[in-house]
Structure formats: C-alpha cells, structure tokens
Amino acid sequence: MPAPISSPIADSFAKLGPIDLESVPDLCRYLSWVPDSRGRCGRWYSLSSLLALCAAAVVAGAVTVEAIAEWAADAPSEVLAGLGVRRHPLGRRRSPSRRCLVRVLSGVDADALDRAICAWLAARRAAASCEVDANAALQAVAVDGKTLRGSKNAGGKRVHLLSAVDHAAAVTLAQRNVGVKTNETGEFTNLLAWMNLEDAVVTFDALHTVKAQAAWLLDQKRAHYVAIVKANQKTLYRQLKSLPWGEVGRGGHEAGTGHGRSESRSVKVCGIDPAAGGLPFPGAVSAIRLHRRRQVKGRKQSREILYAVTTLDAHQASPGDIAALVRGHWTIENRHHLVRDTTFAEDASRLRTGNAPRAMAGFRNLAIGALRLAGVDNLAKATRHNARNHYRPLPFIGITA
C-alpha cells in the first residue's frame, strides 16, 4: 500500500519552492454539480470521477485527451479510488479509455462545467486571498476573449471564449462561450452577472468600452472600471485628446528591459469636474493618458499614446495605482492566455468533437489557477514534477488518496 499523500509526497513539493496546499476545497464536490446527460444503460463511471480524472491529469501536464487516457492507464488503484472511480466487479479499478473520455467531454454541459470550475477557483482564491492580495491596492478583474485556434464549433467557426481573470493571481473567475450569432460585447453582462464585484475594478479594452455596459457595472454590480478608449467612442476620444495634458504632472513612470527590448511607460491622470460638464461616459470622473516607448535592438523606437477613463478619483486611487491597473489588464494575456498556449499547447490542439475543446480549455484554466494559488511560479516545471508521480496532482485539487 503506497504511503499517504500527506508526508512523502507533500515533502517533495519543496523542490518547487514554498507552496501552500492547506484548506484546498475538494474539487469533486463542485464537479458533482455538473448534470449527467448520459443514458443509464452501460454507464459505469460517474461523471464527476471522469471530470476529476481529467483535472488531475491536466495538472500533471497532460495537454490532450490521449495524454489524459495514458496518465489514467498508469495510475495506481489508490489514485483512481481517490478520484472516485468505482471498483470493477472483477475486483480492480479500470481506467477509462480515450474513446470514453472523448464521448463524455464532447457531450458534457460546458456551461455547467465552466461554472463549477470557476466556483472552485473562486473558493480556492478566497482561501488564499491574504497571500494573493498582499501587494494589491485594489481588487481588479480583467475581461478579454481568446480564440481556440485549432477548434471548431457546430457552425464551422473557431471556438471563442470570453473570460474574467483576476489581476493579482491570474486566475479565471468566469468564462463564457461566444456563440456564432453574438460577439464578446453581447456576452459581457452574462459573464459577470453571477460575480460579486462590489468595490472591485473591472478593466477591459476598447471593444467593451460601451456606455450600456459601464452603466450596468455601476448600477447593478456597484463596481468601478478602467476602460480603454479608442476611435469606437469618437466624441469621448476627441475630448480626451484635447485635454491640457501638458499642464498635468506625470503621475507615474516605470521602465524595464528584457528579451532584447527596453520599454518605458509614463502615466498622467486628470480629474474631471462633473459640474463643468464631465466626460460623456457613465460615471467617468478621471481621464488617463499612458505614453509607452519601446526600443527593440536593431529597430527604430516605437511610441504609443493610450487613453482611458475610470470611475476612480484621486481619493480612491493614486496615479500609480491607476497605472498599475492599466498595466495589470494585460495579465490576462501575458500570464494566462500565453500560458495556455505555451505550457498547455492550446493552439496546437486539434480537438473538435462537440464541447470537448471548451471542456479542455476549462481544465487548463483550472490547472493554471490551482498551481498559481498554491504559490507555484514556474508552471512548466510544476507540471513536469507532478507528471513523475500520480499522487502529486491530487493535493492541488483537494483530494487525498
């Protein structure tokens, strides 16, 4: 009988650095919320056990359904038992085949699976909030979309997902499928409807800089926002450009080098008096001007000026805080979407059956969140570490064998 997870396996995580696996909620309880649409005839595995097995395999670095099936085939009976796999009448536990996994993932209720995974991540984040929010002045959530390049939906188009990702921890807190007959803007309120955003800051790019959505955030969610403004809001954009920025002192500046380039950013924040006419955007009380310079070795220096508006005034956030929020919005690209493409090979996936592409994207979100909230910095190293022992992924999803 293998030793319990608590001592030798937990000690092995010291190779990854200081991580915290205390008080991790049991993922299986959340996965049990996903309805099972399969017929009862010939159904041996419970749906929650199959979904938990996929989650554990992806935390161990499995990036395809084939890899998940191979990981399960090599798993000890105690690991399968911990994941909820029933014992076969002949006396042993059998792992599901690739065909079984594809059939289950293609027919799963993807909306319910996303809600279950995001609810688990939100509970996990709440348990780790002291460590995650230690250096964050304001709780912030970034909204952005991502296309699964190798996938296709029923209409023959690529699957496109809209996500809400926490700035500090780079954890997915909500995810919605953008259907063929709608777009990201149409799913914005549906994405955030179930989240508690009171006094939080929602950041989004120019695509979502829509007056109706900003008013909904203020009135229904009692949240703040930082909205990038481009030519899609013509009147507002012209007004921001015409402000006397030369008379406004620089509120913050930062510079850095890396990967063969140097970059500097300076931000100016200008308060707008509503009594003097204000800005033609719901609740906006401050205008932001971000000036970025980038120098790539051997190329001409590039410059970019970016404008934004926010409901935060000088008493609620300093110019440095606002600059951090604008820069933090790109967390969703740099620390989340990029990781899904590089560490978990999302764009290389050619899985196209039913809801399987979206289900696998949900498990990648889960793996990234579970590892980051445990304190892991190098996710590629962590997945390789977990792949060498079938017991290692289980504590990350709150399961003990």
Side-chain angles (χ1 to χ4, degrees):
M1 178 71 68
I5 273 184
S6 56
S7 53
I9 304 302
D11 291 344
S12 69
F13 292 135
K15 300 175 183 178
L16 300 179
I19 64 176
D20 178 20
L21 295 176
E22 298 294 332
S23 304
V24 178
D26 185 357
L27 176 64
C28 291
R29 182 167 64 88
Y30 289 81
L31 294 178
S32 66
W33 301 347
V34 182
D36 193 348
S37 60
R38 299 175 296 168
R40 297 191 64 84
C41 182
R43 184 175 69 187
W44 176 257
Y45 301 100
S46 67
L47 180 61
S48 61
S49 67
L50 293 175
L51 297 178
L53 187 148
C54 291
V58 175
V59 172
V63 298
T64 63
V65 179
E66 291 85 350
I68 293 174
E70 292 168 0
W71 182 90
D74 294 334
S77 179
E78 291 78 9
V79 171
L80 295 178
L83 294 169
V85 177
R86 291 195 303 166
R87 187 183 297 275
H88 195 271
L90 296 180
R92 58 187 291 266
R93 289 180 173 85
R94 295 182 178 179
S95 60
S97 65
R98 174 194 176 277
R99 182 179 178 182
C100 171
L101 292 173
V102 171
R103 185 168 61 249
V104 168
L105 294 180
S106 63
V108 73
D109 185 334
D111 289 329
L113 179 60
D114 272 339
R115 286 194 297 268
I117 289 175
C118 292
W120 183 84
L121 287 171
R124 179 75 182 94
R125 189 199 179 285
S129 60
C130 294
E131 292 79 7
V132 171
D133 297 335
N135 298 319
L138 296 165
Q139 180 186 353
V141 176
V143 175
D144 199 11
K146 185 181 188 299
T147 299
L148 310 186
R149 296 184 181 277
S151 63
K152 289 185 180 180
N153 54 29
K157 295 185 178 180
R158 293 171 177 172
V159 177
H160 190 81
L161 302 175
L162 183 65
S163 303
V165 175
D166 175 72
H167 277 213
V171 172
T172 303
L173 301 177
Q175 181 169 276
R176 291 277 299 183
N177 180 51
V178 179
V180 178
K181 297 182 179 181
T182 185
N183 53 30
E184 285 190 23
T185 305
E187 292 294 339
F188 183 88
T189 56
N190 293 329
L191 175 75
L192 302 176
W194 69 277
M195 295 179 61
N196 179 15
L197 296 172
E198 186 171 357
D199 295 328
V201 183
V202 180
T203 64
F204 41 87
D205 57 22
L207 178 63
H208 297 288
T209 304
V210 179
K211 292 182 179 181
Q213 294 181 175
W216 179 81
L217 284 174
L218 292 172
D219 299 336
Q220 302 296 323
K221 307 303 289 184
R222 297 182 180 179
H224 296 284
Y225 64 77
V226 174
I228 304 299
V229 179
K230 292 185 178 179
N232 64 323
Q233 294 285 342
K234 296 181 180 179
T235 303
L236 179 59
Y237 186 71
R238 286 197 298 266
Q239 184 172 346
L240 292 177
K241 287 185 67 175
S242 64
L243 290 174
W245 293 109
E247 302 173 9
V248 179
R250 190 167 63 183
H253 179 268
E254 57 180 4
T257 59
H259 304 286
R261 68 174 184 267
S262 61
E263 186 173 349
S264 65
R265 295 167 294 275
S266 61
V267 64
K268 293 183 177 181
V269 180
C270 179
I272 306 297
D273 186 3
L279 293 169
F281 204 75
V285 296
S286 299
I288 305 166
R289 179 183 185 270
L290 182 68
H291 188 194
R292 295 192 289 210
R293 296 182 180 88
R294 176 179 292 183
Q295 177 68 64
V296 179
K297 188 175 181 180
R299 297 183 183 179
K300 186 179 179 180
Q301 184 187 76
S302 63
R303 298 188 178 190
E304 180 184 14
I305 296 177
L306 193 69
Y307 295 100
V309 292
T310 181
T311 55
L312 297 167
D313 58 29
H315 300 288
Q316 296 168 311
S318 67
D321 293 334
I322 293 177
L325 289 170
V326 174
R327 180 165 174 77
H329 175 73
W330 307 117
T331 294
I332 196 170
E333 292 285 350
N334 300 330
R335 298 184 63 204
H336 192 77
H337 291 170
L338 183 62
V339 173
R340 280 165 57 175
D341 289 337
T342 55
T343 303
F344 294 95
E346 183 167 85
D347 279 353
S349 174
R350 292 298 180 265
L351 187 61
R352 298 182 177 183
T353 307
N355 289 328
R358 183 178 169 189
M360 285 299 296
F363 289 126
R364 296 181 193 109
N365 291 338
L366 186 147
I368 293 170
L371 293 171
R372 287 201 188 280
L373 290 171
V376 174
D377 293 325
N378 190 328
L379 269 63
K381 179 180 178 181
T383 54
R384 292 193 301 268
H385 180 266
N386 289 339
R388 295 193 293 271
N389 189 306
H390 281 77
Y391 289 88
R392 290 176 180 171
L394 302 191
F396 286 98
I397 57 175
I399 298 175
T400 58

